[in-house]
Amino acid sequence: MCGIVAYLGSKEALPVLIKGLKRLEYRGYDSAGIVIQNNHRRLNVFKRKGKVSDLEAMVRDKDISGHMGIGHTRWATHGKPNDINAHPHTSSNHRLALVHNGIIENYAALKKALEKRGHKFESETDTEVLVHLIEELQQSEQLSLAEAVRMALTKVVGAYAIVVMDTQEPDTLVAARKSSPLVIGIDNDEFIIASDATPIVEYTNKVVYLDDDQLAIIQSGELQLLSIENEVVPLDIREIDMELERIEKGGYDFFMKKEIHEQPTTVRDSMSGRINAAEGWAKLGGLEEHINRFLQAKRITLIGCGTSWHSALIGEYLIEQLARIPVEVEYGSEFRYRNPVITGDDVAVAISQSGETADTMAAIKLAKQMGAFTYGIVNVVGSSIARITDAGSYIHAGPEIGVASTKAFTGQVSILAIMALQLAERNGSISKTRFRTLLAELENIPAKIQQMLEVDASIAYIANEFRNATNFLYLGRGVNFPVALEGALKLKEISYIHAEGYPAAEMKHGPIALIDENMPVVLIATNNKAYEKVLSNVQEVKARGGRIIAVVTEGETQITKLANYAINVPRTDDFFAPLLSVIPLQLLSYHIAVLRGCNVDQPRNLAKSVTVE
């Protein structure tokens, strides 16, 4: 949520900032703004509720020259979305400008103290309080910008990523972070600061990732890092491997559609170099180095939020059934507030596409403090979770721009499947023959996903039939129950239709009361072992007039005859069924949303990465 981009260099700042903000639109926002310091040491501030395109139109005919500036997309926390509450915010003397991602929890107390000292505030935001606090310290203590920012942050409680500029210190930017991501791109004497690497990759592949409680000071063409305690931090310059084409739509109308169709490639990439059926091995490098911690664990706890939580539920099935190690699945948001019992014999696995999910990150930090071995499954290289965990695996899905996660989900499930197989083989909990059979089938999954994508037109037809529905029910058994949850979430996220996912057996414990001719029911029925049970569920829905969309294994006949619509999925082992059965649900949600005129890539009220509580 929210996005920061800042530039200092020889180029005109405005085009870099606008393009950078567009790259960050996928994070979710309700307003946008920029500030550029001109050659006369004045701040030109422009803010606008709405899209970056509205801001771009606002500044199109303005004379905004300058080689240093800051841009921001805001997702409202304190104060409603409007022009006044949009960032950047300035100090009362108009000397300072600041943008901020996160929440200042003690802003009310700070604001009250500042008002007693004569400060007046224009907005309802916590961010404006912070820039006034920096101004107060700068004036009362005669501090430099960097020192005033550092001192102000010692008085702040909460999460933040900030960038600040000062008209009295030209060619200087100060940035800092705590629990909210910030990356600095370096290209000789040019610098780009951003919430993630997408605005940076066009200009340079050299980056520095800020850690919590660190400040970055860019001055006179040099970058210096300091800790909040004023200690020098050595620079760790890394190279990012991100192709510009991966963050463009590539001819698709929406990023979500592009990312759905990328899944044969991204799932194959997630497995590349990690499994080999012919040679009979499965190996995640991060897991292999610490495999005894997993094999000897009393319990593995999988932690995630949203789609990542659904991936974790599938991981629970896979690891318990294949490797016979106890697994629990936890919401990151609930884990740390219920005083969990964690010991040094536990393994805690954080699952997050962005690697910055605030609740998941806080949960894994708690597990680590309590002695657990921590492991990260993330998509973004260099992300916070990747850096704070003891070990981990990247899913290698490439940038996921659509807010509704698709290829990250299948990438996560692929990694969890490899983890389960690797543990099972080392555990001796499955036979060599069964192990090789499962490896061979997992290698076939990308081709079968490609086969699934060929039914896109048929699913578009089904979507047209249900575009005006107000409710949906998704049902699945066993490993397909989390797929039902994921299918319902996708529909809710992007089409705004109410939908619920349930274990199919739970239908008779309440949800069956909802079923009538106006209730579409999506039944994921690819399970071989539970086929008769699922068939019974279909008959129960049919008897009550429900309209059935069934996801079935190719060649199936009984459920197909009962369903109003049937979507065929290539035959696979039950363990890997979610990697195929989720594809038509992604496409169904996509097409319904498009038909309803929804903005598929930027659904209302949602952010791609939830970096604050």
Side-chain angles (χ1 to χ4, degrees):
M1 60 176 60
C2 299
I4 288 173
V5 60
Y7 175 78
L8 173 57
S10 58
K11 296 182 178 69
E12 284 293 324
L14 179 62
V16 178
L17 297 180
I18 293 295
K19 186 177 289 187
L21 292 179
K22 289 180 177 179
R23 296 264 191 245
L24 294 172
E25 284 186 302
Y26 77 97
R27 296 171 65 89
Y29 69 104
D30 48 54
S31 57
I34 59 167
V35 56
I36 293 176
Q37 187 176 147
N38 66 21
N39 297 327
H40 303 289
R41 295 190 181 183
R42 293 179 180 175
L43 300 177
N44 287 319
V45 181
F46 298 91
K47 308 191 290 185
R48 177 58 58 92
K49 177 186 175 182
K51 298 298 183 183
V52 174
S53 57
D54 299 322
L55 175 67
E56 186 178 21
M58 179 184 188
V59 302
R60 185 169 292 130
D61 298 326
K62 304 291 192 302
D63 180 15
I64 313 175
S65 59
H67 301 283
M68 180 173 72
I70 309 171
H72 188 267
T73 53
R74 177 178 186 251
W75 192 87
T77 54
H78 296 78
K80 60 186 178 181
N82 59 28
D83 292 355
I84 293 174
N85 289 330
H87 298 207
H89 289 284
T90 57
S91 56
S92 55
N93 59 11
H94 298 287
R95 174 177 163 180
L96 307 178
L98 178 147
V99 295
H100 165 228
N101 292 350
I103 293 176
I104 306 302
E105 295 175 10
N106 63 334
Y107 85 100
L110 294 171
K111 185 175 184 178
K112 187 175 181 180
L114 288 166
E115 285 175 330
K116 287 182 178 180
R117 297 183 67 86
H119 289 260
K120 295 183 179 180
F121 297 89
E122 297 180 357
S123 76
E124 304 167 87
T125 69
D126 54 338
T127 301
E128 190 183 8
V129 174
L130 180 54
V131 73
H132 278 251
L133 176 61
I134 296 169
E135 176 190 22
E136 176 67 26
L137 290 168
Q138 197 176 40
Q139 291 184 336
S140 63
E141 304 290 338
Q142 298 298 303
L143 301 176
S144 68
L145 175 63
E147 185 62 11
V149 171
R150 189 185 70 81
M151 290 296 295
L153 294 180
T154 64
K155 303 177 183 298
V156 160
V157 177
Y160 54 79
I162 63 169
V163 183
V164 195
M165 64 166 62
D166 181 351
T167 59
Q168 300 306 305
E169 296 188 31
D171 299 322
T172 300
L173 288 174
V174 176
R177 71 153 279 178
K178 183 176 183 179
S179 301
S180 191
L182 215 52
V183 187
I184 303 171
I186 305 171
D187 184 20
N188 296 321
D189 59 350
E190 288 189 305
F191 301 88
I192 302 175
I193 306 171
S195 296
D196 62 41
T198 53
I200 296 172
V201 64
E202 183 172 345
Y203 305 99
T204 180
N205 68 341
K206 293 181 173 59
V207 299
V208 171
Y209 295 98
L210 277 190
D211 284 328
D212 279 355
D213 298 315
Q214 286 185 351
L215 280 77
I217 304 163
I218 301 171
Q219 194 169 42
S220 301
E222 294 185 356
L223 169 63
Q224 181 185 28
L225 297 189
L226 295 177
S227 70
I228 200 77
E229 291 83 19
N230 206 29
E231 297 174 346
V232 175
V233 177
L235 291 181
D236 179 13
I237 300 175
R238 305 186 186 185
E239 291 191 2
I240 53 173
D241 182 16
M242 184 185 294
E243 297 174 2
L244 189 60
E245 300 79 45
R246 299 291 291 272
I247 56 176
E248 302 288 353
K249 289 182 182 176
Y252 288 91
D253 292 332
F254 292 95
F255 280 109
M256 183 181 178
K257 184 68 174 294
K258 173 176 178 274
E259 289 158 4
I260 291 172
H261 281 262
E262 284 179 340
Q263 287 175 109
T265 299
T266 57
V267 169
R268 186 177 292 110
D269 289 346
S270 72
M271 299 176 189
S272 179
R274 290 167 164 171
I275 63 171
N276 190 307
E279 297 178 10
W281 54 263
K283 184 181 295 184
L284 295 171
L287 175 59
E288 186 64 25
E289 293 178 21
H290 306 279
I291 197 161
N292 287 333
R293 293 297 302 266
F294 281 78
L295 294 174
Q296 296 166 10
K298 289 184 177 179
R299 170 183 54 189
I300 297 173
T301 301
L302 305 179
I303 302 169
C305 299
T307 286
S308 296
W309 187 75
H310 299 157
S311 302
L313 289 174
I314 295 170
E316 180 181 26
Y317 281 100
L318 296 174
I319 295 170
E320 287 198 338
Q321 292 191 38
L322 289 172
R324 308 306 297 159
I325 300 173
V327 177
E328 290 186 5
V329 176
E330 296 273 3
Y331 282 113
S333 55
E334 293 296 321
F335 179 78
R336 61 193 172 114
Y337 289 115
R338 64 171 186 79
N339 193 20
V341 178
I342 297 291
T343 71
D345 295 323
D346 288 325
V347 170
V349 180
I351 306 175
S352 167
Q353 188 282 137
S354 67
E356 303 291 350
T357 309
D359 288 317
T360 303
M361 189 154 49
I364 206 71
K365 285 180 178 178
L366 175 62
K368 191 169 187 176
Q369 290 168 6
M370 298 176 76
F373 180 81
T374 58
Y375 197 90
I377 298 176
V378 301
N379 188 34
V380 180
V381 174
S383 57
S384 295
I385 288 174
R387 286 180 286 146
I388 65 174
T389 46
D390 297 310
S393 299
Y394 290 113
I395 68 174
H396 297 308
E400 187 177 66
I401 307 301
V403 167
S405 184
T406 52
K407 63 179 182 175
F409 174 79
T410 49
Q412 290 167 352
V413 173
S414 298
I415 295 298
L416 289 164
I418 297 170
M419 176 180 285
L421 286 168
Q422 187 174 351
L423 292 171
E425 192 272 336
R426 292 291 293 272
N427 226 7
S429 53
I430 61 174
S431 68
K432 296 284 187 183
T433 302
R434 177 68 170 144
F435 176 66
R436 283 179 175 265
T437 299
L438 289 173
L439 282 180
E441 181 54 28
L442 191 55
E443 285 185 342
N444 289 331
I445 290 296
K448 292 184 177 182
I449 293 176
Q450 185 63 55
Q451 186 179 337
M452 273 307 315
L453 293 171
E454 294 171 5
V455 302
D456 192 1
S458 299
I459 293 173
Y461 176 81
I462 296 171
N464 190 55
E465 293 295 301
F466 293 98
R467 61 190 293 183
N468 295 318
T470 55
N471 296 282
F472 264 77
L473 187 63
Y474 287 71
L475 302 174
R477 280 183 180 261
V479 76
N480 274 328
F481 159 52
V483 179
L485 292 174
E486 177 62 11
L489 177 62
K490 284 293 151 287
L491 191 68
K492 283 184 281 193
E493 284 181 314
I494 63 172
S495 73
Y496 319 137
I497 295 173
H498 175 254
E500 297 294 337
Y502 275 92
E506 289 295 304
M507 180 180 66
K508 288 181 285 189
H509 295 271
I512 198 169
L514 299 171
I515 295 175
D516 59 18
E517 65 277 4
N518 297 315
M519 173 65 82
V521 179
V522 180
L523 251 152
I524 302 100
T526 61
N527 313 55
N528 296 316
K529 294 179 181 177
Y531 177 79
E532 295 299 330
K533 298 290 186 183
V534 177
L535 176 60
S536 175
N537 294 138
V538 173
Q539 291 167 333
E540 290 162 350
V541 173
K542 191 73 173 177
R544 287 156 181 82
R547 301 170 71 192
I548 300 169
I549 304 169
V551 180
V552 299
T553 302
E554 57 186 1
E556 193 282 334
T557 57
Q558 295 186 73
I559 294 175
T560 298
K561 288 179 181 177
L562 292 170
N564 298 82
Y565 300 94
I567 302 168
N568 290 311
V569 173
R571 190 171 300 278
T572 190
D573 192 282
D574 280 356
F575 286 123
F576 307 137
L579 290 166
L580 301 182
S581 57
V582 76
I583 305 299
L585 306 188
Q586 294 172 348
L587 289 168
L588 181 66
S589 300
Y590 169 82
H591 285 297
I592 288 176
V594 170
L595 289 166
R596 290 166 66 91
C598 301
N599 186 334
V600 174
D601 286 338
Q602 298 171 30
R604 67 188 184 202
N605 303 330
L606 292 181
K608 179 65 176 173
S609 177
V610 182
T611 57
V612 296
E613 289 190 69

